Amino acid sequence: MKLKIFFIAILHTLLLGNLFSQDCEAWFFASQDTLNHLKFTFTDGSIPINSVETYLWDFGDGNTSSEQSPVHIYDTEGSYFVTLSISTNSCQDVYTMAIIVEDRPVCFADFTYYSDGSSNTVQFENLSLLPNYNDAQWSWNFGDGTTSTDFMPIHTYDLDTDYYVTLSVILGDCMSDYSQTIYMNDNYFGDNCEAMFSFEPIDPAGLSFQFWDYSWQGNDTIISYLWTFGDGGFSNDANPIHSYQQSGNYEVTLEIEANNCISLATNYIYTGDSAWYPTDCQALFWFEENQVYAYEVQFFDISAAQGQIFEWIWDFGDGEFSFMQNPTHTFLSEGEYDINLTILTEFCESNFTMQISIDEDTLFCEECHPLFFPEIEGNTVLFHDLTIGTPTWWHWNFGNGQTSDMQSPVHVFDELGVHEVAFSTGNGYCNNSLIMEIDLNTSMINMCYAIPNELTTISEIDNIDMEIYPNPAKDFININTTQNSEGIIFIYSISGKLLSETNFTEADDSKKIDISNLQSGVYVVKIKSEN
């Protein structure tokens, strides 16, 4: 059975060691005590098992341990980097996990499954971690149109094919879901490995790439690799080099097979001398809504880095998180959600936030998903089109009265600062839009807004001054802005948990918010208005 990472953290793993070591690999997971939220148990999962000679734990608060699987109690809430260093007689490795110690109900959905390989009957084993199982609600979607609310259901499928299964867990205000593809009969290889890979361009023309396998195989052994590069080419090497004949966007897939497991991973690649690749790393993603059930969304990582991406950290804006590369998430209600993806490499961290709207009446059409990357040099920006799909036209609005219908235009802004750019693309069947806020001073993307089924334009950004007082505050805060309109004031914890939301009207010159129920600490205030 595959060992998965469970812990009470908003951030996940930052791997500082050598993933490609053949002798040892440091690894652990952390679990929070259900009665004392300051108490954590750190369980060693390093490999090879029983061959580690020394352990050194650094809990991030000045305390250490040399035990294999220690228990540690923190003095105060906060975020900590926990590091495990191991050594064998021939190897040393390091593994670091960022955790947040916070008093909140925590639940993590997870499952595995078993089949005898000769029938379509599957036993699902519920591996979810909850502080209280008695009050939990379970919802299984078996991927064939049927569901169950059993804790550990047995299900029989009609066809010899693959199915995408989701387990959703609700416990009070804590919600979590976990999905994976399961395989029937001859395709069944268990749940003991996970394919993962990264890549980087290695020639100035941007047509040749080094691909790196860093799949997880537990205690199993990978016996075969199959790479398909999206242009008809393939390879059976673990870390192949592949050259493309022309510029374009390609879908690359790695399939690994171990003795008791098979797994697939897919990523997008952009080729050509004008293709986008960041200096260090840049998180990026796109998504596809379930056209039948709009609350279910598949997210696709299309980040890029000079080197290997070791970790993906997804914040879905509803209190739920995922650490898969391409997760599927089910929202419980309609609304606008700020989706944040953070990626980690050995030397770089990057995040990207996009606001999406969950609405059963308004879905993104699947033929073209607009996306772009702004390559910023001073006040000159080269806009790289990264649209997923088959668009036949492109339209850019730079927010200063100037537009372009080129696929990847260059635009010179009159001044530095923050600018919003609207990008619409489509074909004869549909069109979608994306608004991106970019900061020319920092060369960073601040925010994106996905707009379905509309040709969107924007006007010059208005500067709105905002004042919050008193700050620091104890019982209440007043918020004044230079522009009055209807809207909502949100207050988040520093870890991203929504704590309150207050509606205000245009007549409210000063917005007074009661904060007497909040503990001492740092909080984030977000104001959303009709303008």
Side-chain angles (χ1 to χ4, degrees), residues 264-335:
L264 297 171
T266 299
N267 213 331
Y268 289 95
I269 191 170
Y270 308 96
T271 68
D273 54 6
S274 63
W276 157 70
Y277 283 100
T279 302
D280 297 311
C281 66
Q282 176 63 55
L284 275 179
F285 68 85
W286 195 247
F287 64 94
E288 289 185 3
E289 297 168 299
N290 186 316
Q291 298 297 300
V292 177
Y293 184 61
Y295 297 98
E296 183 179 278
V297 182
Q298 170 76 61
F299 292 92
F300 297 97
D301 164 61
I302 52 174
S303 306
Q306 299 295 331
Q308 292 74 50
I309 299 174
F310 291 142
E311 201 65 42
W312 295 265
I313 306 164
W314 295 84
D315 179 348
F316 298 116
D318 61 355
E320 289 303 304
F321 303 87
S322 175
F323 311 104
M324 301 174 65
Q325 182 180 3
N326 300 301
T328 296
H329 183 65
T330 301
F331 296 89
L332 296 184
S333 62
E334 293 185 347

Side-chain angles (χ1 to χ4, degrees), residues 82-233:
V82 180
T83 299
L84 169 62
S85 303
I86 65 169
S87 63
T88 69
N89 59 1
S90 62
C91 172
Q92 295 180 339
D93 198 24
V94 179
Y95 188 61
T96 298
M97 177 187 295
I99 71 169
I100 290 179
V101 180
E102 186 177 56
D103 187 13
R104 58 190 177 95
V106 178
C107 54
F108 288 96
D110 187 52
F111 69 87
T112 188
Y113 71 102
Y114 302 98
S115 170
D116 60 12
S118 61
S119 70
N120 290 346
T121 298
V122 178
Q123 169 69 67
F124 290 95
E125 180 179 359
N126 195 326
L127 302 177
S128 304
L129 291 187
L130 305 176
N132 177 11
Y133 288 84
N134 293 330
D135 298 328
Q137 302 176 39
W138 315 97
S139 178
W140 296 82
N141 185 328
F142 296 120
D144 62 352
T146 62
T147 61
S148 174
T149 57
D150 293 342
F151 178 65
M152 289 192 180
I154 297 176
H155 183 66
T156 300
Y157 289 93
D158 294 332
L159 303 176
D160 294 342
T161 185
D162 306 338
Y163 296 91
Y164 195 71
V165 179
T166 298
L167 168 62
S168 300
V169 178
I170 302 176
L171 179 62
D173 61 354
C174 185
M175 299 166 288
S176 178
D177 59 74
Y178 174 72
S179 302
Q180 64 171 299
T181 301
I182 70 170
Y183 306 93
M184 294 295 100
N185 289 338
D186 293 341
N187 293 328
Y188 174 68
F189 280 86
D191 183 27
N192 299 301
C193 64
E194 183 176 353
M196 295 183 288
F197 70 91
S198 183
F199 57 90
E200 59 180 326
I202 58 175
D203 74 320
L207 294 174
S208 295
F209 291 80
Q210 171 72 67
F211 291 89
W212 301 97
D213 163 64
Y214 58 99
S215 302
W216 182 86
Q217 70 267 25
N219 296 319
D220 210 338
T221 300
I222 297 178
I223 58 177
S224 70
Y225 299 88
L226 176 59
W227 297 82
T228 55
F229 299 111
D231 63 348

Side-chain angles (χ1 to χ4, degrees), residues 26 58 94 117 224 241 272 280 328 360 413-414 480 497 515:
D58 183 342
V94 179
S224 70
I241 292 176
D280 297 311
T328 296
E360 287 185 302
F413 292 90
D414 293 334
N480 286 339
K497 181 181 180 181
I515 60 168

Side-chain angles (χ1 to χ4, degrees), residues 379-381 383 398 400 411-415 419 421 438 440:
N379 61 342
T380 301
V381 183
F383 292 94
F398 302 110
N400 55 5
H411 184 73
V412 180
F413 292 90
D414 293 334
E415 57 185 15
H419 297 268
V421 176
I438 59 176
L440 303 189

